[in-house]
Amino acid sequence: MKTANGHLSYCSNIHPGEIWEEHFANLQATVPKVKTAVCPDQAMGLGLRIANQASIDLIEDPNKLAALKNWLAEEDIYIFTLNGFPYGGFHNTIVKDQVHAPDWTTQDRVNYTRRLIDLLIKLLPADQHEGGISTSPLSYKYWWDQRGAAIGQATMELLKLVPYLAQTEQKTGKWIHIDIEPEPDGLLENHREFVDWYTDTLIPFAITAGIPEDWVRRHIHICFDVCHYGVSYDKPADCLQELVDKNISIGKIQISSALRVDLRKDASARIEALKQYEEPTYLHQVKALKKDGSFVQFKDLAEALAQFKEGIYDEWRVHFHVPLFLDSYGLLNSTQAEIGETLAYHQQHYVTRMMEIETYTWGVLPAEYQESIETSIAREVTYIQDLLCKKP
């Protein structure tokens, strides 16, 4: 829905479906119920996740795309952003590091993202001239012995799309940007790595390739995922200010929350409580703050739990997208404060036109936090709506 602070939506990667028919059926079953609960009298935005096979389905069969557009019009729903991070299976399968595959070193990732560009141009409402597509942080860092070479190769593949995006805007009037999403253990895993890559690699590579710098800045943005910033112990307001200062655009804010575990007291009990969040579907990277002020990182929660020793750590941050509207889960807490800080800065400085709620772990949360999917989504949206109504 449109707010004074930009478009607000939730991401449909919460709904299963890698082929279009399956995903569309889940959208039809759930999205209208959410709309009735959160904005019955105005149009509702939707952040659409289109998997690779679904993108092929929609491109190759114009009737499927027409059916989607008709349904959107009938339900008073509009699309302004796509999630192009997970390429393939994302539900009911073991995802783990394969969420990055194929990565930005491959032509498959380029082709997939180009299909998403073409689809978003057709899905944007007539009065909506801007759209964004979030995507992976180039690759998964543990796949590479020579990470610098992988970053260079991925950057060149990404830059292939910039002239196409610029030419498409000239032809259609639709401005599409690719929003790179730093993520724990990605080749670009945090704010510092993203900013350094943007200024020291992306821009110089573009200039060498003869691609105008203003094209790059207009069409390559950051997807500011608050959960990921929380896991990295980054300060959202400071990071947003640096992005503004360095003329790096925020394509969208992904509103999400991570687990925070205070280990300064009752550490054994808190670790025991954390064990219920160990599950086999997604990666749940852990960044641990030690008592001496240094950090240690673990590839997944199981690895962190296996190596835990009492008396070493002050705090753990866990990459587990927990519900936004809760600050505590029994003995555990969340990075909800980072959401408040991010949105307060945005209210003051208006850094993006796009905000997207992304809690996709409902199916793997402990049972006491699970409700019907439409109730869970509506509760998230209502919480953020209320937060945006408060003065910063």
Side-chain angles (χ1 to χ4, degrees):
M1 62 290 301
K2 295 178 183 178
T3 75
N5 303 106
H7 300 281
L8 174 64
S9 174
Y10 80 92
C11 182
S12 78
N13 66 354
I14 194 173
H15 304 302
E18 315 315 323
I19 62 172
W20 177 247
E21 289 88 345
E22 182 183 354
H23 193 62
F24 191 30
N26 282 311
L27 295 178
Q28 291 171 303
T30 305
V31 179
K33 296 176 183 177
V34 175
K35 183 181 184 302
T36 297
V38 301
C39 59
D41 301 321
Q42 64 169 304
M44 187 182 87
L46 179 66
L48 186 60
R49 188 246 164 159
I50 303 178
N52 176 62
Q53 185 56 54
S55 75
I56 295 170
D57 297 341
L58 288 168
I59 290 289
E60 292 186 347
D61 190 342
N63 291 328
K64 292 178 181 178
L65 183 60
L68 169 60
K69 294 178 71 172
N70 289 338
W71 176 75
L72 291 170
E74 291 168 1
E75 299 292 343
D76 200 17
I77 298 164
Y78 67 96
I79 306 296
F80 62 91
T81 183
L82 300 182
N83 187 328
F85 191 149
Y87 178 98
F90 197 61
H91 292 277
N92 306 316
T93 186
I94 297 175
V95 180
K96 296 294 183 181
D97 62 338
Q98 290 305 301
V99 71
H100 295 276
D103 64 16
W104 273 103
T105 67
T106 68
Q107 188 64 39
D108 284 344
R109 175 63 69 169
V110 175
N111 293 342
Y112 166 54
T113 307
R114 181 162 172 163
R115 283 193 294 274
L116 296 183
I117 293 167
D118 293 342
L119 288 168
L120 185 53
I121 288 167
K122 296 175 181 177
L123 289 170
L124 285 174
D127 62 350
Q128 178 78 20
H129 303 295
E130 178 188 2
I133 301 169
S134 54
T135 190
S136 82
L138 304 185
S139 186
Y140 182 63
K141 72 178 184 181
Y142 292 112
W143 291 345
W144 303 97
D145 293 327
Q146 302 296 324
R147 292 172 190 168
I151 289 172
Q153 182 181 346
T155 301
M156 291 306 297
E157 293 297 325
L158 174 65
L159 283 169
K160 288 180 179 179
L161 290 175
V162 172
Y164 182 69
L165 287 161
Q167 293 159 11
T168 298
E169 183 178 7
Q170 292 167 4
K171 291 177 182 177
T172 67
K174 300 295 187 182
W175 167 32
I176 308 297
H177 40 80
I178 307 299
D179 306 330
I180 308 294
E181 183 178 338
E183 175 170 296
D185 291 346
L187 272 182
L188 307 175
E189 73 169 335
N190 54 40
H191 175 79
R192 182 79 276 127
E193 291 186 0
F194 175 85
V195 171
D196 290 348
W197 166 77
Y198 200 101
T199 58
D200 300 339
T201 301
L202 180 65
I203 297 299
F205 273 37
I207 293 171
T208 299
I211 299 171
E213 180 177 337
D214 61 332
W215 284 10
V216 178
R217 292 192 182 276
R218 184 161 179 81
H219 295 290
I220 306 295
H221 296 182
I222 188 172
C223 173
F224 194 97
D225 188 298
V226 186
C227 168
H228 301 166
Y229 271 73
V231 172
S232 295
Y233 295 78
D234 285 320
K235 301 297 184 184
D238 292 345
C239 294
L240 288 166
Q241 186 62 53
E242 182 178 14
L243 291 167
V244 171
D245 291 343
K246 294 191 172 178
N247 192 26
I248 300 173
S249 296
I250 296 96
K252 69 179 170 185
I253 294 172
Q254 256 180 353
I255 307 170
S256 53
S257 189
L259 275 173
R260 181 171 60 84
V261 189
D262 185 348
L263 296 170
R264 291 171 296 180
K265 60 179 181 178
D266 302 325
S268 295
R270 294 177 195 275
I271 290 296
E272 193 63 32
L274 184 59
K275 289 180 180 179
Q276 64 183 322
Y277 291 86
E278 182 186 348
E279 58 83 31
T281 304
Y282 306 107
L283 279 176
H284 300 297
Q285 300 93 334
V286 177
K287 187 167 184 177
L289 173 62
K290 299 176 73 174
K291 290 187 176 297
D292 63 6
S294 64
F295 292 96
V296 61
Q297 294 183 217
F298 301 96
K299 296 178 185 178
D300 208 351
L301 180 56
E303 178 185 334
L305 291 170
Q307 296 185 38
F308 171 74
K309 292 182 179 179
E310 195 163 359
I312 295 177
Y313 306 103
D314 274 353
E315 186 176 330
W316 281 8
R317 302 280 180 94
V318 185
H319 180 208
F320 195 119
H321 287 230
V322 290
L324 311 178
F325 46 79
L326 292 174
D327 175 57
S328 62
Y329 301 81
L331 291 174
L332 308 179
N333 294 96
S334 76
T335 58
Q336 188 188 69
E338 277 79 354
I339 294 173
E341 181 180 335
T342 300
L343 295 183
Y345 184 94
H346 175 51
Q347 285 176 290
Q348 290 183 307
H349 302 282
Y350 196 62
V351 296
T352 183
R353 286 159 290 276
M354 302 182 184
M355 296 172 288
E356 179 185 56
I357 294 167
E358 195 203 24
T359 305
Y360 56 80
T361 52
W362 295 103
V364 296
L365 279 171
E368 62 263 34
Y369 300 114
Q370 295 192 29
E371 297 185 72
S372 70
I373 195 65
E374 58 268 21
T375 300
S376 299
I377 297 168
R379 193 174 176 187
E380 300 258 87
V381 175
T382 300
Y383 173 76
I384 297 302
Q385 286 176 317
D386 291 344
L387 201 60
L388 288 169
C389 289
K390 296 178 181 178
K391 291 184 179 181

